[in-house]
């Protein structure tokens, strides 16, 4: 990037290349209207880059390769366009990685098919070192065709940076790893069971808790979206002790609905902590949850997702909008959000075959 210029706001869209996706699509984000304009695609650089994550300090984009071989890749964003692949795809020593995050100077992946977690060291340039450490989960659940064994689905560091929380759909539990004082390996702290048959898929920490001191004794909220029974579990999180306790559940579709089976995917919280939104695959909707009305979230509405099979939801850093990656209809749809009610209103869409994930890179000076 030339000195004195500013990189414009960008969206990066992951996809399944095995289903016709174009790899990672880079799109310009118009912050005034929310519109996305495609710029380029990685095409065959990485197989099935279904989930993406940015380095906390920016400058590097990471992608899983959700395949039987199981890999991860890093892209430099330090130049204007396009993202530059940093070396080859690196094995995660597991099959079917579905989610990844960066914490403690390492890249972590949740490996759905293998039911394990992998940690990869990062080099000085943000690239991946080929020295994976893995930890295998064990267990099963009552839904025979989905919970015959462990299926780790998401890896999320807590706001203090001391812990890694992993949702496992197959074992109906959240696995907690201790990152304190470790630079290699994976150190399991405890496994926390949720209600049997829920199928925990993703989780998010309450927005207002971010930025607190690592030693804060205050309890924080964690919201876990459950794929197998269309609920969100509200939990209390204690960063000092690494304890997670369930407080109750909220349905994300109306109790009287009929139609195809529903499988919630992603959950996003508003920057002010007042609302949460959940993508419903099957119902093809976005659930609006009020986080202020009661001890537990309250479902206030569901609105059409603008396509079919919303695999991911995302919000740009400034808030005020939502983006749904509609995998089976092949587009990313954006919505303007009413800041008073949390209601999304459709704004437009960008064709994106087999879209699976959206992340945003804020403008940098």
């Amino acid at each position: 990037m030339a000195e004195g210029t500013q990189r414009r706001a960008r969206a990066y869209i992951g996809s399944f290349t095995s289903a016709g996706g174009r790899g990672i699509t880079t799109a310009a984000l118009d912050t005034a209207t929310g519109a996305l304009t495609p710029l380029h695609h990685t095409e065959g650089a990485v197989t099935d880059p279904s989930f993406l994550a940015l380095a906390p300090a920016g400058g590097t984009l990471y992608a899983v390769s959700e395949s039987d071989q199981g890999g991860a890749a890093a892209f430099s964003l330090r130049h204007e366009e396009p993202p530059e692949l940093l070396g080859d795809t690196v094995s995660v020593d597991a099959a079917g990685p579905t989610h990844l995050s960066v914490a403690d100077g390492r890249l972590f992946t949740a490996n759905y098919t293998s039911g394990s977690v992998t940690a990869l060291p990062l080099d000085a340039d943000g690239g991946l070192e080929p020295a994976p450490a893995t930890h295998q989960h064990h267990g099963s659940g009552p839904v025979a065709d989905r919970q015959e064994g462990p299926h780790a689905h998401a890896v999320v560091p807590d706001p203090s940076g001391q812990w890694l929380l992993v949702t496992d759909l197959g074992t109906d539990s959240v696995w907690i790893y201790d990152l304190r004082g470790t630079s290699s390996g994976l150190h399991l702290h405890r496994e926390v069971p949720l209600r049997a048959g829920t199928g925990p898929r993703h989780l998010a920490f309450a927005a207002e808790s971010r930025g607190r001191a690592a030693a804060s004794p205050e309890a924080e909220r964690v919201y876990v979206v459950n794929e197998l029974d269309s609920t969100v579990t509200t939990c209390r999180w204690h960063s000092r002790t690494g304890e997670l306790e369930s407080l109750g559940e909220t349905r994300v579709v109306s109790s009287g609905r009929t139609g195809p089976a529903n499988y919630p995917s992603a959950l996003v919280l508003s920057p002010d902590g007042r609302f949460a939104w959940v993508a419903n695959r099957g119902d093809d909707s976005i659930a609006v949850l009020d986080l202020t009305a009661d001890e537990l979230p309250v479902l206030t509405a569901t609105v059409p997702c603008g396509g079919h099979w919303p695999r991911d939801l995302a919000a740009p850093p400034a808030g005020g909008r939502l983006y749904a990656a509609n995998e089976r209809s092949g587009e990313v749809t954006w919505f303007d959000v009413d800041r008073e009610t949390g209601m999304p209103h459709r704004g437009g869409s960008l064709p994106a075959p087999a879209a699976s994930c959206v992340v945003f890179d804020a403008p940098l000076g």
Side-chain angles (χ1 to χ4, degrees):
M1 187 186 308
E3 185 176 353
T5 64
Q6 184 183 66
R7 184 167 71 232
R8 294 163 291 174
R10 293 286 183 259
Y12 300 99
I13 302 166
S15 70
F16 287 97
T17 56
S18 58
R22 302 189 66 182
I24 301 170
T25 295
T26 301
L29 168 63
D30 186 326
T31 56
T33 66
L36 297 175
T37 303
L39 298 173
H40 40 72
H41 317 275
T42 61
E43 300 291 357
V46 176
T47 300
D48 288 338
S50 64
F51 202 86
L52 313 174
L54 286 162
T60 310
L61 178 70
Y62 298 98
V64 299
S65 176
E66 190 176 338
S67 61
D68 289 341
Q69 291 72 36
F75 293 82
S76 173
L77 304 178
R78 292 179 174 86
H79 301 287
E80 179 68 14
E81 324 281 357
E84 178 185 359
L85 188 62
L86 296 173
D88 296 328
T89 299
V90 173
S91 171
V92 299
D93 201 21
T98 60
H99 190 266
L100 77 173
S101 62
V102 179
D104 191 42
R106 292 177 286 173
L107 182 78
F108 297 92
T109 66
N111 309 310
Y112 180 86
T113 305
S114 292
S116 63
V117 180
T118 295
L120 284 165
L122 304 179
D123 64 28
D125 295 323
L128 302 174
E129 296 280 4
T134 63
H135 186 269
Q136 180 65 50
H137 291 181
H138 298 279
S140 59
V143 182
D145 62 337
R146 296 294 308 278
Q147 296 184 309
E148 78 294 343
H151 292 300
H153 213 303
V155 283
V156 183
D158 89 314
S160 78
Q162 299 180 102
W163 311 94
L164 187 75
L165 278 64
V166 182
T167 50
D168 195 305
L169 184 149
T171 64
D172 286 321
S173 56
V174 178
W175 297 62
I176 302 172
Y177 291 84
D178 192 343
L179 301 180
R180 297 172 298 177
T182 64
S183 58
S184 62
L186 285 157
H187 299 269
L188 181 64
H189 176 61
R190 57 166 53 107
E191 179 189 0
V192 179
L194 300 182
R195 184 171 57 82
T198 53
R201 179 183 172 93
H202 277 248
L203 65 82
F205 287 86
E208 66 268 25
S209 71
R210 295 192 179 276
R212 289 179 182 168
S216 171
E218 297 181 50
E220 301 167 304
R221 291 296 178 93
V222 172
Y223 300 99
V224 182
V225 60
N226 300 309
E227 178 172 335
L228 299 184
D229 77 341
S230 295
T231 61
V232 166
T233 301
T234 300
C235 300
R236 183 177 290 119
W237 167 248
H238 301 269
S239 62
R240 176 168 288 180
T241 58
E243 295 178 86
L244 185 74
E245 56 181 311
S246 173
L247 301 176
E249 298 172 4
T250 303
R251 286 188 59 79
V252 295
V253 291
S254 62
S255 57
R257 74 172 289 272
T258 59
N262 187 64
Y263 304 99
S265 57
L267 179 148
V268 171
L269 278 74
S270 63
D272 61 9
R274 296 174 58 208
F275 302 104
W277 301 278
V278 176
N280 283 315
R281 297 172 300 172
D283 197 53
D284 285 343
S285 66
I286 299 172
V288 182
L289 302 180
D290 184 348
L291 305 183
T292 67
D294 207 339
E295 177 73 9
L296 298 177
V298 174
L299 176 66
T300 60
T302 58
V303 300
C305 69
H308 180 36
W309 212 252
R311 190 178 182 88
D312 190 34
L313 278 182
R321 290 192 177 89
L322 277 176
Y323 293 75
N326 295 313
E327 179 187 352
R328 294 185 180 175
S329 53
E331 75 272 302
V332 173
T333 303
W334 58 88
F335 300 82
D336 295 316
V337 175
D338 187 307
R339 294 181 185 269
E340 294 302 315
T341 65
M343 287 290 292
H345 301 279
R346 190 181 188 279
S349 65
L350 168 70
S356 56
C357 175
V358 184
V359 298
F360 294 94
D361 192 11
L364 296 177

